[in-house]
Structure formats: C-alpha cells, structure tokens
C-alpha cells in the first residue's frame, strides 16, 4: 500500500467489505442448509411408527435422568459457557489491539525511516530508494506465494496491459513522495497530504456523480485552511518540497480514482476473477521495476550512485532493507487490522495515527517550529479525524 494519506474512498477497505459480505452470505447459506438437514430429520421422524419409537426413547431417557439428577449441573454449564465466551471476547480484543499496534508502528516507521535515509543520510537518489524497496517487496511476496503461504494471481499480458496506467501513476506517486519528504518535515507532509482528500472528493463528484454531506465538505475546508496556515507559518519552508508535495497529492488522488475504474476490468482478465491485496502488491511493484530503472537514467542518479560512499556502508544497506520490509508490512498489517476490526475503526485509527507520527517527526529530526505552526499542524490533524468521522456517518446513512 502506498504511504500517502488515507484517501476519501479507500478501495482496499471496499474490497475487504465485499469479501466479508460474501463470507457472511456463504455462512448464512450453510446455516440454512444445516437447518434444512435438521428439518429433514424431523420430517423423517414425524411418521406415526417413528414417532412412537422416538417418544419411547425420550421417555426412557427422562426416567433414567430423573434418578440421578444434579441440581447444580445447570449452573456449572452456564458458568462454563460464560467462561468460554469471556475468553473468546478477550482473545478477539487482544487480536484487535495487537493488529492495530502493528499497523500503526509499521506505517509510522516507514515514513520516519524514509525521512531518515533522505535527510539524515542525505541520500540524493529517491528513485533508487523506491526501486530497491519495491524489489524487496517483490522478492518477499514471490517467496511467500511459491511456498503457498499466500495466494497471488499469475501476471498475464492481458492483466499487465490493463494495469499499466495505474502503475504509471503509482510510480509517480511514490517518487514525488520521496522528493517532497526530503525537503519537508514529516508533520507538514502529513498535513499537506490532507489536500489529497479534497482532490479525490472533487474527482468523485465529477467522474462518479457522488455527492457528499455538508460535514464532509466542512472537514475538507478545514484541511485546506490548515494546509495553507501551516505552509505560511512553516519556519523550514522549502518551495521545491512543497511543489513536489502538491504534485504528489494530485497523483495520489488520481491513483485512487483510476484504481476504482480499472479494478473491475482487471478482475475480469484474471483466472480466478478476483484481485486480492497480495496480487496488487506483486503487480504494482513488479511493473515498477523496469520503469524505475528507466527513471534512474532520466534523472541521472547513476552518476550519484557510482560516487556516493553510502553504498559501501553496511548499516545503510540494513536501514534501506528494513524500509523495504516495512513497506510490505504495511500491506500485511492493514489487512490484519481491517479483518480484526472493520473499515470504521481502520479509518479512524489511521487518522489518529498521524498525531504521534507528526510529534515524532518534529522531535526526532529537531524541526524548528513556532507555536503558530504547531497549532496549524494540530488543527490539520484534528480536521483529519473530523473528516474520518464525517465519512463514517455518511457511509452509515447510505
């Protein structure tokens, strides 16, 4: 999954809601089939001869049970049922908390490590970093797929042709994110990414004729105000970084909107008729490799890579490899967290997660800030939470 802001309509959430709904329907069918079986047994026993046999058997059982009845047996059974139900609830809650922590830690760590590589190490090859991270993801997903741990769709030419437009936007989204993160502090990047939601909302309105509630538009307006005020009060303002971030917002919104159009067509050209998250990770990252190599030559990162001493440092390789693992971990933990909770909790936690991320970015990288800038950042983060709640209310009503 991309490390951008949470879009106004997350196709990842929608796909899993569809999957969960289909599971519920299948379970209902199975329940109906079981009931039909039980009704069949009852119908078979309803004949006079069989009814007599069953009644005699039940009478014998009752007379036998009355001889040695245990008055406390019912209470013991109830207590045991309560204990079992309680243990299951605790287990589910523990899984939800654990998956939520894993998702928050992986998503925060990914952005902080990228900032560390680009700024602290002063690594001036963002495309090469993106290419290496995607290569790590391809290798891990391929190994897991071949070992049978996960299932992925085979990459056919028909699927590749359908997916190429999405992949071009995906690569542009990751590259511009790297470029902006090098010049802008993490807190301001987080606030500026909220603009993506505004662009996505406008795109949904014009492309899909989707209308949003007044609360959603109010939250989007607050996001714009916080982004503008944050930029004005940013003591480390960098015009190049802000330009790349604005481009990134447009590309991220375009990725979300294009993905929605292409997804149905892509499913039709797969063998199983479905395209899960692992298949998307493998497809996006695999297709990004040749394009990334081409862009390395276009942006002339080859000369820098041949002269930088960073590539001779084992610790540097360890850090960028960890960033590749974290990029993939976001996909895994997102699915795990969404499975344990739901789209509502997932969206709200994603918005709240930006608050500790922004604070950590300011403290870890010694970002110079003022009270006005900090207030603008906090205002933008709270606007993101308000937006998430407004979207939940809108979805529940629809």
């Amino acid at each position: 999954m991309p490390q951008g802001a949470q879009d106004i309509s997350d196709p990842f959430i929608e796909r899993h809601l569809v999957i969960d709904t289909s599971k519920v329907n299948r379970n209902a069918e199975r329940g109906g089939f079981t009931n039909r079986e039980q009704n069949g047994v009852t119908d078979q026993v309803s004949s006079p001869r069989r009814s007599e046999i069953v009644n005699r058997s039940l009478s014998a059982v009752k007379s036998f049970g009355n001889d040695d009845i245990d008055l406390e047996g019912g209470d013991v059974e109830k207590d045991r049922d309560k204990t079992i139900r309680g243990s299951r609830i605790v287990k589910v809650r523990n899984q939800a908390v654990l998956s939520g922590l894993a998702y928050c830690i992986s998503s925060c760590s990914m952005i902080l490590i990228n900032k560390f590589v680009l700024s602290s190490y002063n690594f001036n090859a963002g495309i090469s970093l993106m290419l290496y991270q995607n290569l790590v993801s391809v290798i891990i997903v391929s190994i897991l797929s071949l070992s049978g741990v996960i299932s992925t769709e085979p990459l056919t030419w028909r699927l590749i042709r359908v997916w190429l437009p999405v992949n071009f936007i995906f690569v542009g989204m990751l590259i511009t994110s790297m470029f902006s993160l090098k010049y802008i502090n993490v807190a301001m990047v987080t606030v500026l990414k909220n603009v993506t939601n505004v662009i996505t909302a406008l795109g949904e309105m014009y492309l899909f004729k989707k209308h949003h509630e007044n609360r959603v538009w109010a939250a989007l307006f607050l996001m714009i105000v916080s982004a503008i005020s944050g930029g004005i009060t940013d003591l480390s303002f960098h015009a190049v970084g802000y330009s790349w971030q604005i481009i990134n917002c447009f590309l991220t919104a375009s990725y979300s909107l294009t993905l929605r159009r292409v997804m149905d067509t892509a499913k039709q050209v797969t063998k199983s008729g479905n395209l899960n998250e692992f298949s998307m990770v493998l497809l996006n990252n695999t297709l990004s490799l040749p394009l990334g190599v081409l862009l390395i030559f276009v942006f002339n990162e080859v000369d820098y890579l041949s002269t930088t001493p960073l590539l001779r440092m084992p610790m540097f390789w360890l850090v960028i490899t960890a960033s590749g693992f974290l990029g993939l971990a976001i996909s895994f933990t997102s699915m795990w967290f969404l499975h344990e909770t739901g789209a509502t909790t997932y969206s709200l936690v994603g918005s709240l997660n930006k608050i500790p991320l922004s604070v950590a970015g300011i403290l870890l990288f010694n970002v110079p800030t003022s009270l006005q800038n900090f207030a603008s950042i906090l205002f933008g983060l709270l606007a993101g939470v308000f937006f998430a709640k407004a979207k939940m209310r809108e979805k529940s009503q629809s």
Side-chain angles (χ1 to χ4, degrees):
M1 293 178 67
Q3 64 212 32
Q6 294 197 2
D7 297 331
I8 193 165
S9 181
D10 194 340
F12 174 70
I13 297 176
E14 292 174 357
R15 279 200 310 280
H16 281 269
L17 285 177
V18 171
I19 293 172
D20 290 339
T21 305
S22 63
K23 286 180 180 177
V24 170
N25 292 335
R26 285 198 298 271
N27 290 335
E29 291 172 1
R30 289 172 185 166
F33 181 71
T34 305
N35 290 334
R36 286 195 297 271
E37 285 181 334
Q38 292 172 348
N39 291 336
V41 173
T42 305
D43 293 339
Q44 290 175 3
V45 180
S46 61
S47 62
R49 177 63 179 167
R50 288 173 182 172
S51 297
E52 183 181 353
I53 295 172
V54 171
N55 289 333
R56 288 177 182 175
S57 301
L58 289 174
S59 299
V61 170
K62 287 180 182 178
S63 62
F64 177 77
N66 288 334
D67 293 337
D68 299 309
I69 189 168
D70 184 4
L71 296 177
E72 296 180 355
D75 296 335
V76 172
E77 288 294 329
K78 289 180 181 179
D79 291 340
R80 187 167 61 184
D81 290 341
K82 288 181 180 179
T83 304
I84 293 173
R85 284 197 298 269
S87 63
R88 286 177 180 173
I89 292 172
V90 171
K91 185 177 180 182
V92 169
R93 287 177 179 174
N94 289 340
Q95 289 290 322
V97 172
L98 187 61
S99 60
L101 286 174
Y103 165 67
C104 292
I105 292 172
S106 60
S107 59
C108 288
S109 300
M110 178 69 179
I111 297 176
L112 294 174
I113 286 184
N114 280 342
K115 179 65 176 177
F116 179 71
V117 172
L118 295 169
S119 297
S120 299
Y121 274 113
N122 198 25
F123 187 63
N124 294 320
I127 301 174
S128 301
L129 178 60
M130 180 273 299
L131 181 66
Y132 182 74
Q133 289 174 347
N134 290 358
L135 177 62
V136 171
S137 296
V138 169
I139 293 172
I140 297 173
V141 173
S142 299
I143 292 173
L144 293 177
S145 179
L146 292 173
S147 60
V149 177
I150 61 174
S151 61
T152 56
E153 290 292 328
L155 303 184
T156 61
W157 281 112
R158 291 181 64 194
L159 180 58
I160 291 173
R161 283 197 300 268
V162 170
W163 201 260
L164 270 178
V166 179
N167 189 254
F168 284 135
I169 302 174
F170 173 77
V171 172
M173 180 180 66
L174 293 185
I175 292 174
T176 52
S177 177
M178 293 288 187
F179 289 167
S180 65
L181 193 59
K182 180 175 177 59
Y183 299 105
I184 310 177
N185 66 75
V186 173
M188 278 310 304
V189 166
T190 305
V191 172
L192 291 173
K193 281 182 180 291
N194 285 335
V195 179
T196 301
N197 295 320
V198 181
I199 302 170
T200 306
L202 294 173
E204 286 182 332
M205 188 172 64
Y206 286 105
L207 295 176
F208 303 106
K209 308 301 180 184
K210 182 176 181 180
H211 298 283
H212 299 286
E213 291 184 348
N214 291 332
R215 290 191 179 188
V216 174
W217 289 114
L220 295 173
F221 176 74
L222 295 177
M223 289 178 176
I224 295 175
V225 172
S226 65
I228 295 174
S229 61
I232 294 174
T233 58
D234 187 4
L235 299 180
S236 57
F237 178 86
H238 199 291
V240 174
Y242 272 72
S243 300
W244 282 119
Q245 185 54 53
I246 292 172
I247 297 173
N248 175 260
C249 290
F250 278 96
L251 287 173
T252 305
S254 300
Y255 178 76
S256 176
L257 297 170
T258 307
L259 189 66
R260 198 177 308 180
R261 281 184 173 274
V262 172
M263 183 60 70
D264 292 335
T265 308
K267 288 180 179 179
Q268 293 174 3
V269 298
T270 58
K271 290 185 177 181
S272 66
N274 193 19
L275 194 66
N276 59 27
E277 179 70 11
F278 298 118
S279 299
M280 285 181 58
V281 169
L282 183 62
L283 184 61
N284 262 332
N285 291 329
T286 302
L287 294 180
S288 71
L289 297 181
L291 183 58
V293 172
L294 177 63
L295 291 174
I296 285 175
F297 286 96
V298 171
F299 283 82
N300 198 26
E301 288 188 358
V302 178
D303 292 341
Y304 172 78
L305 293 174
S306 61
T307 57
T308 179
L310 292 174
L311 298 183
R312 294 188 289 273
M313 296 171 56
M315 183 56 66
F316 178 76
W317 282 103
L318 180 64
V319 171
I320 62 174
T321 303
S323 68
F325 276 93
L326 284 171
L328 188 59
I330 294 175
S331 297
F332 282 92
T333 55
S334 296
M335 284 186 289
W336 182 24
F337 185 40
L338 191 58
H339 174 73
E340 295 294 337
T341 55
T344 301
T345 306
Y346 177 87
S347 178
L348 185 59
V349 170
S351 299
L352 292 171
N353 190 38
K354 296 176 183 178
I355 298 176
L357 171 63
S358 301
V359 174
I362 293 174
L363 296 178
L364 292 176
F365 298 100
N366 297 320
V367 177
T369 185
S370 61
L371 182 61
Q372 294 84 350
N373 183 247
F374 186 78
S376 299
I377 293 171
L378 184 61
F379 182 71
L381 297 174
L382 294 177
V385 177
F386 178 52
F387 169 75
K389 295 188 70 174
K391 284 296 296 177
M392 294 172 199
R393 184 175 180 272
E394 184 182 64
K395 287 182 179 180
S396 63
Q397 289 182 348
S398 62

